[in-house]
Amino acid sequence: MICEVFDDFILKVLIVAAIVNTVIGTIQHPSYGWVEGCGILFAIIVIVVVTVGNDMVKERQFQALMSKGDEHESRVRRDDNERTIDTEELVVGDIITIGTGEIIPADCLVLEANNMSCSEAALTGEPEALDKEPCSADNLSSLPDPFLLQSSLCEKGTAKALVLAVGDNTNQGRAGLSMNIESEQTPLQRKLDTIANNIGMLGVIVAILTFIAMIVQMMIRIFTNTEVTFKSEGLEDIGEAFIIAITVVVVAVPEGLPLA
């Protein structure tokens, strides 16, 4: 999450500007020159902390909501005893009992069935409920359907079934993994990125023009004034022009925009 925050273009510009500002300011004014650069760094820290904290809260709320949606109970037979457990505790090889109105908790194979039919509309789009019955030598020619898919609904009947796959190994789990794609930016985020890029480019262009103008002004002063030499005034003026150019970039980029 922290790395995602630092993908922001404005934040990268602010980091570079803060470092340069701190170094140059400290060199020029050792006692207080670091204040402005450190102020920008502090703003960056606030932006990162608030953004990551907000994302963490949203992620936890989403995970809690998803876990509640997946919470079901299943009747399972273990050690010759039937008991009720959470569906997340099911493992391959468990024998479960399924009744009317229950959600199938895993991909299963029907062992025994009593007039059972399941709706798989949410998974396959099939609108009609499908009859489920175990395979045997007697009904093999009629092509019975003994497979139960996770998240399908038992519309009627009861059955005992053997768990074949759980979690990401189920048909629904594999389909969910294939749908894991990067979320796209919202229209507001795209507009803010456009504004940020434009502000950054404009700030850099103005800073370059300012630097060129100050260098030209310095050269004119040197050539028109015989008492002023490049050696005495030039290096200091170039340093001052560079600092002003950096200041233009810092002022042009609003620290609060990424946080907003």
Side-chain angles (χ1 to χ4, degrees):
M1 289 182 180
I2 293 174
C3 292
E4 288 177 358
V5 176
F6 281 104
D7 285 339
D8 192 298
F9 172 75
I10 288 189
L11 218 55
K12 293 177 181 178
V13 173
L14 287 175
I15 291 171
V16 174
I19 294 173
V20 174
N21 212 304
T22 303
V23 172
I24 295 177
T26 304
I27 293 173
Q28 275 197 320
H29 310 286
S31 58
Y32 63 88
W34 53 269
V35 173
E36 186 175 353
C38 289
I40 298 173
L41 288 174
F42 179 75
I44 293 171
I45 293 172
V46 172
I47 291 168
V48 173
V49 170
V50 173
T51 305
V52 172
N54 188 37
D55 289 345
M56 285 182 65
V57 171
K58 291 189 294 184
E59 181 68 21
R60 286 178 180 174
Q61 290 175 342
F62 177 73
Q63 293 294 343
L65 184 63
M66 292 299 292
S67 63
K68 286 183 179 178
D70 291 338
E71 283 180 3
H72 301 290
E73 290 185 341
S74 296
R75 287 169 290 165
V76 61
R77 188 171 185 82
R78 290 178 179 173
D79 302 326
D80 295 328
N81 294 317
E82 188 171 286
R83 50 181 170 162
T84 301
I85 64 171
D86 191 273
T87 53
E88 293 184 354
E89 298 178 19
L90 288 176
V91 296
V92 174
D94 278 338
I95 296 176
I96 60 175
T97 302
I98 302 167
T100 303
E102 293 184 3
I103 301 294
I104 309 301
D107 286 356
C108 304
L109 177 69
V110 175
L111 302 178
E112 300 175 13
N114 180 20
N115 193 28
M116 184 186 193
S117 63
C118 288
S119 171
E120 298 176 353
L123 301 173
T124 64
E126 176 63 47
E128 299 292 333
L130 303 176
D131 294 331
K132 303 290 182 178
E133 55 181 317
C135 282
S136 65
D138 298 329
N139 66 2
L140 195 59
S141 59
S142 64
L143 301 176
D145 183 1
F147 296 106
L148 303 176
L149 299 180
Q150 184 187 27
S151 297
S152 57
L153 173 66
C154 177
E155 289 195 348
K156 67 176 181 178
T158 58
K160 285 186 178 180
L162 175 69
V163 176
L164 299 181
V166 296
D168 291 339
N169 294 316
T170 62
N171 280 279
Q172 187 194 34
R174 290 197 297 271
L177 289 176
S178 67
M179 293 298 290
N180 283 343
I181 56 177
E182 291 293 329
S183 58
E184 295 183 356
Q185 286 186 318
T186 64
L188 176 60
Q189 288 173 323
R190 288 196 292 269
K191 288 181 180 179
L192 283 176
D193 281 348
T194 302
I195 293 173
N197 292 331
N198 291 340
I199 290 174
M201 291 300 296
L202 183 62
V204 171
I205 291 171
V206 172
I208 293 173
L209 293 176
T210 303
F211 181 77
I212 293 173
M214 294 189 69
I215 295 298
V216 170
Q217 184 186 33
M218 178 196 73
M219 298 302 294
I220 292 174
R221 190 171 66 254
I222 291 174
F223 286 122
T224 55
N225 191 347
T226 56
E227 296 181 0
V228 178
T229 62
F230 180 80
K231 187 175 181 180
S232 62
E233 300 250 349
L235 294 178
E236 184 178 343
D237 286 346
I238 290 175
E240 185 69 24
F242 183 72
I243 292 171
I244 291 176
I246 294 296
T247 305
V248 169
V249 176
V250 173
V251 172
V253 178
E255 292 90 339
L257 184 58
L259 183 60

